[in-house]
Amino acid sequence: MSASEEIIVCHLGRVPYERAWALQEAVQERLIAAKRAEPPETVPHVLLLLEHPPVYTLGKSGDAENLLATDETLDALNAEFHRIGRGGDVTFHGPGQLVGYPLFDLDHFFTDLGRYLRTLEEVIIHTCTEYGVTGTRVDGRTGVWVGPDERGLERKICAMGVRCSRWVTMHGFALNVTTNLDYFDHIVPCGIDDRGVTSLAKESDASVTVDDVRGAVADHAADLFDADITELSGEEAWAFLRDFADAGTALNVQP
């Protein structure tokens, strides 16, 4: 891999799920078009870091029965539900959870989805360490876990599910920071019914916020993918994305 790879990290704040999904598709299409051009264009990779309003999502191979909430319950929770194209089963996104959508052309890193997922896990494990939390892996179960320890069995702190087209990724990870874990009572998280979920705030003795954690995630992503990063926030980030993906009008990509 060339040391000249660049990742633009876009800190977007709170974004409705459907808008973020459309934005991912637009950026992914732009990256695919760049690599198919003659000659290929040199464009940066993109990492979207954001939060969502309450939403449950079900992966393409997931079991709808793992969503335990009825339509009435979803209305009471003011939560949405979407079937989506990533791998994995049902999960929850909401305030207090840092969601990361890496839109990377793996032809410039490594064309190995297993290695890509392990590298994303390592980004989160390193981030957890900064807050005194030991993140681990569980054989056969994607994501990052805490335990087993004196507090109990393994519990998931970060869920992951990805999709790849022509080696350009989308979807990504969801790290519980200060998430209200009661939302997970309405699903069988990731289809796993014998383990629970947790958050950095619950496991750490340190005070922690999503704003704190997103900088650490960006830094560890740069290190583990051996790339230079440029961080953009707010309107500056949205302006870059509108220009990069030519998506301002079509997707109503506004802050």
Side-chain angles (χ1 to χ4, degrees):
M1 184 195 73
S2 169
S4 64
E5 295 305 317
E6 180 183 11
I7 299 172
I8 305 297
V9 180
C10 295
H11 301 285
L12 299 181
R14 192 167 298 179
V15 183
Y17 188 83
E18 283 188 305
R19 180 177 294 176
W21 189 1
L23 178 58
Q24 287 185 74
E25 290 182 328
V27 173
Q28 185 188 52
E29 288 173 6
R30 177 70 181 91
L31 288 166
I32 292 172
K35 70 191 296 180
R36 297 179 72 182
E38 290 292 344
E41 295 180 66
T42 300
V43 296
H45 312 273
V46 177
L47 172 59
L48 308 179
L49 293 178
L50 50 88
E51 294 176 79
H52 287 306
V55 59
Y56 295 97
T57 66
L58 180 68
K60 59 185 179 181
S61 59
D63 185 348
E65 293 188 1
N66 288 326
L67 176 68
L68 308 178
T70 63
D71 290 343
E72 291 75 15
T73 301
L74 291 174
D75 288 342
L77 293 170
N78 196 28
E80 297 180 351
F81 170 67
H82 295 284
R83 296 176 181 269
I84 61 174
R86 61 160 170 80
D89 210 284
V90 67
T91 194
F92 168 77
H93 301 307
Q97 183 188 77
L98 180 65
V99 177
Y101 295 130
L103 295 134
F104 294 175
D105 182 354
L106 295 185
D107 272 325
H108 292 268
F109 296 104
F110 37 77
T111 51
D112 182 332
L113 278 180
R115 181 179 172 186
Y116 172 65
L117 281 166
R118 303 294 82 76
T119 305
L120 288 185
E121 289 169 349
E122 197 69 15
V123 169
I124 301 303
I125 289 170
H126 284 218
T127 300
C128 289
T129 299
E130 294 197 24
Y131 296 92
V133 176
T134 301
T136 63
R137 295 182 176 90
V138 174
D139 287 345
R141 293 180 172 180
T142 300
V144 177
W145 301 72
V146 177
D149 54 24
E150 67 279 0
R151 296 188 182 187
L153 297 173
E154 301 96 336
R155 50 247 180 233
K156 182 172 277 191
I157 196 168
C158 183
M160 293 185 180
V162 301
R163 181 181 177 183
C164 191
S165 177
R166 296 185 181 273
W167 290 112
V168 177
T169 63
M170 66 179 291
H171 300 296
F173 60 84
L175 173 61
N176 296 325
V177 181
T178 59
T179 318
N180 180 349
L181 300 177
D182 290 344
Y183 280 101
F184 288 93
D185 293 341
H186 301 286
I187 60 174
V188 180
C190 303
I192 298 171
D193 60 6
D194 61 347
R195 296 293 186 271
V197 294
T198 191
S199 67
L200 269 179
K202 186 173 181 178
E203 299 292 338
S204 175
D205 295 327
S207 176
V208 58
T209 68
V210 168
D211 283 345
D212 296 331
V213 172
R214 56 191 175 93
V217 167
D219 288 343
H220 290 302
D223 180 49
L224 289 164
F225 283 95
D226 192 21
D228 295 324
I229 63 167
T230 299
E231 297 187 66
L232 304 176
S233 299
E235 173 52 32
E236 189 178 17
W238 288 105
F240 162 77
L241 291 166
R242 285 193 292 270
D243 180 64
F244 182 80
D246 191 23
T249 302
L251 302 179
N252 189 28
V253 178
Q254 301 291 337

